Each structure stands twice: as C-alpha cells, then as structure tokens.
Amino acid sequence: MSTHSLDTGNASRAGHKAAPGAVVPGGAPSGAEAETPARPGRDRYLDLLRAVALVRVVVFHIFGWAWLTILFPSMGVMFALAGSLMARSLSKRTPWSVIRGRLRRLLPPMWAFALIIVPLMFVMGWKPAREEGLWGLIKLANYLFPVGAPPYPFESGDAGGLFDQSWADQAAGPLWYIRAYLWFVLASPLLLWAFRKVPWATLAFPVALTAVIGTGVVEIPGETGLALTDFAVYGACWVLGFAHNDGLFQKIPRYVTVSLAAFTMAFGLWWASGHLGPEGWNFDEIPLAEATWSLGFVAILLQYSPSWRELPGRLAQFDSVITLANNRAVTIYLWHNLLIMATVPIIDQFWSIPGIDAFSAELDAAYPALTLVLIWPLLALMILGMGWVEDVAAKRRPRLWPNGSTSAGAGAESGAGPAPSGGAHRR
C-alpha cells in the first residue's frame, strides 16, 4: 500500500501516506473542507478527533513508534471525518458545486507548498527531463492537479548539505494524502449513491479490494498500484463517514457496532501478526491490517460520537489550540515533515557548546525529544507565514492566527478539511 514512513530525521519511501476540518454533523481535516464558521453548532468532538490525529501524525514522524499506528489510526479517522462532511454537502448541493468547492479549498495550499519545494528541487540538481524525458516534465502537472503522484527526486543536494539528501522524498511524502483525498472527492457522488442503495456492499467493497490488491493476490505496479491501494485501504472509513452523516449509527444497537468492530479489529491484529515487515507492527505498511483496524476503530469512535457543542470539562482549556489546528490542518499537514528536518541543523548547534562532547551520548538520545520541542514553534511560524492561504482558498478574510479568539482578530472560524498524517510516506 502506499506506505511511507518518516523516522527521526530520516525516511525511506516504502509506499504512500499523513489530512484537515469538519462541521456538524460530519467533518474532515483541514481548511479544504471547512463549510461553516465556528459557533455553538460545530461538533467539537469531531474537531477534537481531527486535532488528535494531526498531533499523532507529527509525533509518529518524529519518533517512528510503530505502536502509534495501532493506538490511533489517524488517517482512517481523517478520511471518515472528510467522508461525513462530503455526504453532508452532497445532500444540500449539486455534485459539481461540491467538488468544485472542495478543489478550491484543497489545491491553493498545495500550490503554495509546491511553489517553494519544487524550485528548491531544481536548484539542488533535480533534472526530471534528463531522467524521464518529456514524461518527466508532464508529471509535474500533478503538483497542480494531483490525480497522480507528484514526482520528486529520492536524493537531492549534497551529502554535506543543510538537509539530508532524502529531504525531497520526506518533504513531498505527505502529498500521497492529497491525491487520495482528491480521488475520494471525485468518486463521492457515485459512492454516496451506491451507499444509499446498498450500504453494506458499499462498505465491504473497499476492504475486499484491499484483500485483493493490498496482499499481493493481484499486483498493480508503480504509482497506480499505490494510489489504488490507498483508495481501497481508506475507502471503508470514507463510507463510514457517509453512515455517520446519514445518522445510521443511531439506528444500529451500540452492542452490534462494537461487536462487529471488535471482530474486525481482531482480524486486523491477527493478519498483521503474520505479515510483519521491517517496521514490525507499523500498520501503515500492512494494508489489510490497516484497513480492518481503522474500520473497526473509526466505527467505535463514530458510534459513541457525543456531538459536543462545547468541549467538556478539562478539555475546554484546549479549545483555542483545537480550533487553530482545525483551521490550519492543511498547513500543518503539508509542512510538518519539512519542518521536522529543519530542526536538525538547529539541534546540531548544541555540539558547538564548549564541553558538550562529554554529554554527546545523552544529547544523541535526546535528539527526538528536542525535535518534538522545536517542531511546535516552527509550525507556529509556518502557520503565520503560510496559513492564510487556506483562508484565501476558502474565500475568507486572511487571518494570521485563527484560534477562535476574538481578541486575536480571528473572527468566524471554520473547520479544517483534508489534512492528515503523512511523511515520506506514512501516516
């Protein structure tokens, strides 16, 4: 499956994978999906899930802990929230107007991202025309409309450069999610029609497709195979979003949902135990395990969805952070890998401190923790510098820090749309 994992400061492209925003009754991760301003009618439970998913993505791409993919399957959650919001919009407007609106919110932040990293790739020696001829240049169009995989060099720059030579692979890795999201948006009118005609068959189809193309029974080479695998793995979660929007979880006894979900998740664990790869229990690298575990996990989350108008209890203290994450989910998702790499030269400055050599072992061990500390202020700077593109894409007044605070001039907030977890490929 398109699974790509970003470990601490380094990554290798093993596949594809990392999504933004939502509103009652459904949602997704990033400004690309925001439909309504933040107000008492927003579902803060869905906003909380989206924010947790984004944080989990960033933490996973710093530490590379495989168990995080089991603890919280971020991508499945993000696609389910996006599917719910998509169904909500399709129930109110024509398919073309919904698709056009999604593309308008999704593509400009990606274009801003590409406007910076693609020239950097060329400056650092990438020559796609020399490598693949005219086809290499044609594939660059995927940075404008990512129906396919945006190309990038697997090695870029010099070994002694500021960034690791895998920087382009890691920086462009999250784009797998943009492509998958685009596929789901384009397919949603047909998928929603099929779901409302034959719901169980529509829900089961992506899992069956994963069992065929994600396990090697049928092999589809290249980026086409990776794209189809991503579509299959997360298709059931997207369809669960339809079920959430249509209120079907309220019609099914809770014990039925939980029982079926537990069985599905148990199958995922069993399948993974016999198909562990180089990264062990990293479900991102085991398509059928990822599909079934995410399906069961998301079903339980949506079955118990409390539809909060406000964050309850102690969660209320995180209201502004959650609002900011939802309003800037695309920005966070697109840029977090590059910013993780940007922490490396900053942390390396510690070695210039006199006498630090005596603590080099401790400093090496603390590298991931230092990265975790530094990534948040760097993300804050990126939100200030590039986040406003999400507002322009949504035809809103640009805002520097949309955390819901009127004193900060945030004004009306909107949910996040398609963001996600993904590094040099993976969630």
Side-chain angles (χ1 to χ4, degrees), residues 89-137:
S89 297
L90 286 170
S91 297
K92 295 181 177 181
R93 310 203 312 269
T94 63
W96 170 241
S97 66
V98 174
I99 291 173
R100 183 178 58 191
R102 289 297 181 277
L103 296 183
R104 189 186 71 240
R105 289 173 169 85
L106 173 69
L107 296 179
M110 178 179 171
W111 294 341
F113 177 76
L115 191 62
I116 292 178
I117 70 161
V118 173
L120 277 177
M121 293 176 190
F122 282 106
V123 168
M124 298 181 72
W126 185 38
K127 296 180 173 60
R130 178 180 298 178
E131 297 171 6
E132 299 184 80
L134 180 60
W135 180 241
L137 294 177

Side-chain angles (χ1 to χ4, degrees), residues 13-353:
R13 189 176 196 272
H16 279 302
K17 174 149 182 71
V23 260
V24 172
S30 93
E33 314 216 334
E35 292 273 345
T36 62
R39 57 177 182 270
R42 281 189 57 85
D43 191 332
R44 298 302 279 166
Y45 175 71
L46 301 185
D47 288 347
L48 173 64
L49 292 182
R50 189 171 305 105
V52 171
L54 283 169
V55 171
R56 200 285 277 162
V57 167
V58 174
V59 172
F60 175 71
H61 290 153
I62 292 174
F63 292 93
W65 292 327
W67 54 267
L68 284 174
T69 64
I70 302 174
L71 179 66
F72 195 87
S74 287
M75 301 319 297
V77 172
M78 293 303 231
F79 281 118
L81 299 180
S84 180
L85 183 57
M86 191 70 185
R88 175 180 183 270
S89 297
L90 286 170
S91 297
K92 295 181 177 181
R93 310 203 312 269
T94 63
W96 170 241
S97 66
V98 174
I99 291 173
R100 183 178 58 191
R102 289 297 181 277
L103 296 183
R104 189 186 71 240
R105 289 173 169 85
L106 173 69
L107 296 179
M110 178 179 171
W111 294 341
F113 177 76
L115 191 62
I116 292 178
I117 70 161
V118 173
L120 277 177
M121 293 176 190
F122 282 106
V123 168
M124 298 181 72
W126 185 38
K127 296 180 173 60
R130 178 180 298 178
E131 297 171 6
E132 299 184 80
L134 180 60
W135 180 241
L137 294 177
I138 292 176
K139 289 200 299 184
L140 289 173
N142 284 304
Y143 280 102
L144 298 176
F145 193 77
V147 69
Y152 51 85
F154 294 114
E155 290 189 356
S156 178
D158 301 321
L162 187 63
F163 285 161
D164 185 275
Q165 285 183 292
S166 68
W167 78 269
D169 182 18
Q170 297 181 47
L175 298 181
W176 78 270
Y177 174 83
I178 305 299
R179 177 189 62 192
Y181 179 82
L182 177 62
W183 278 39
F184 282 125
V185 166
L186 296 176
S188 279
L190 179 59
L191 282 175
L192 184 59
W193 173 84
F195 174 73
R196 287 173 175 169
K197 292 290 184 180
V198 283
W200 288 105
T202 307
L203 182 63
F205 174 74
V207 179
L209 184 61
T210 304
V212 173
I213 66 175
T215 61
V217 174
V218 173
E219 293 188 6
I220 302 176
E223 292 293 342
T224 301
L226 293 173
L228 284 172
T229 302
D230 281 335
F231 187 86
V233 167
Y234 298 106
C237 291
W238 188 273
V239 173
L240 277 183
F242 293 169
H244 175 261
N245 175 77
D246 288 3
L248 294 188
F249 284 102
Q250 300 172 7
K251 301 177 182 179
I252 300 174
R254 184 167 290 177
Y255 75 90
V256 173
T257 300
V258 174
S259 298
L260 291 175
F263 175 81
T264 304
M265 295 168 71
F267 173 83
L269 288 172
W270 171 79
W271 180 264
S273 68
H275 298 82
L276 299 180
E279 298 185 33
W281 288 86
N282 181 359
F283 277 17
D284 291 342
E285 307 296 330
I286 312 171
L288 188 56
E290 173 80 347
T292 51
W293 180 264
S294 296
L295 175 61
F297 194 97
V298 168
I300 293 174
L301 287 180
L302 296 183
Q303 176 68 75
Y304 281 85
S305 178
S307 297
W308 294 324
R309 294 297 182 93
E310 296 180 355
L311 292 171
R314 294 183 179 180
L315 288 175
Q317 63 185 310
F318 302 106
D319 185 86
S320 62
V321 175
I322 291 171
T323 299
L324 180 65
N326 276 265
N327 279 298
R328 291 296 180 258
V330 173
T331 301
I332 294 169
Y333 178 75
L334 284 174
W335 291 96
H336 78 275
N337 269 358
L338 190 61
L339 296 180
I340 287 173
M341 287 182 288
T343 67
V344 175
I346 297 175
I347 296 173
D348 283 347
Q349 297 306 308
F350 281 101
W351 270 268
S352 63
I353 299 175

